């Protein structure tokens, strides 16, 4: 059952990542996207969604991330970011951004036969 879950999740993320890459390759260099979805692969798995907030270079990014899929230590985080993007005049099509954000998460760790959880 565990292998089936890993296989299904991996396939879903691979398809999501492929669609995201294809969408980026089909855009012309002068386009600024209004929404995007992507996948994150580090020590866990994550999904990210970014959307424009008006036409002035401000974006809202939402990130859902989980790690510890071995079920001994599981974390789940949800992050919200408000990003303000600006052009770098010296380099075409390169931008920098800054902005506030917040993360809410929970974890569960297994110690022997006991499990500890917190938010």
């Amino acid at each position: 059952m565990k292998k089936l879950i890993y296989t299904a999740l991996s396939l879903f993320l691979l398809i999501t990542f492929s669609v995201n890459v294809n969408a980026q390759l089909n855009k012309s260099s002068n386009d600024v996207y209004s929404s995007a979805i992507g996948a994150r692969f580090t020590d866990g798995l994550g999904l990210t969604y970014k959307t424009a907030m008006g036409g002035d270079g401000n974006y809202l990014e939402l990130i859902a991330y989980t790690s510890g899929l071995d079920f001994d230590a599981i974390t789940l985080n949800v992050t919200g970011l408000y990003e303000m993007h600006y052009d770098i005049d010296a380099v075409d099509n390169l931008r920098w951004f800054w902005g506030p954000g917040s993360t809410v998460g929970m974890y569960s760790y297994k110690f022997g036969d006991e499990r500890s959880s917190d938010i």
Side-chain angles (χ1 to χ4, degrees), residues 36-118:
I37 188 168
R40 293 174 178 250
F41 303 98
T42 58
D43 61 337
L45 302 172
L47 291 174
T48 182
Y49 175 74
K50 191 178 212 177
T51 187
M53 303 291 291
D56 55 357
N58 296 335
Y59 292 86
L60 176 66
E61 184 170 1
L62 302 173
I63 303 166
Y65 176 80
T66 184
S67 65
L69 295 176
D70 60 1
F71 298 105
D72 284 338
I74 301 170
T75 62
L76 175 64
N77 295 319
V78 177
T79 301
L81 304 171
Y82 184 78
E83 302 170 352
M84 292 159 272
H85 291 235
Y86 301 95
D87 290 329
I88 296 176
D89 294 331
V91 181
D92 290 337
N93 300 317
L94 185 61
R95 304 180 87 189
W96 67 278
F97 66 91
W98 72 278
S102 182
T103 298
V104 175
M106 62 183 181
Y107 69 89
S108 177
Y109 293 99
K110 185 176 180 183
F111 300 103
D113 292 334
E114 296 182 23
R115 185 167 285 280
S116 174
S117 300
D118 202 355

Side-chain angles (χ1 to χ4, degrees), residues 14-33:
L14 181 63
I15 290 169
T16 302
F17 183 69
S18 298
V19 169
N20 188 33
V21 169
N22 189 31
Q24 296 299 322
L25 292 175
N26 289 334
K27 290 181 138 315
S28 72
S29 61
N30 293 328
D31 286 342
V32 176
Y33 60 89

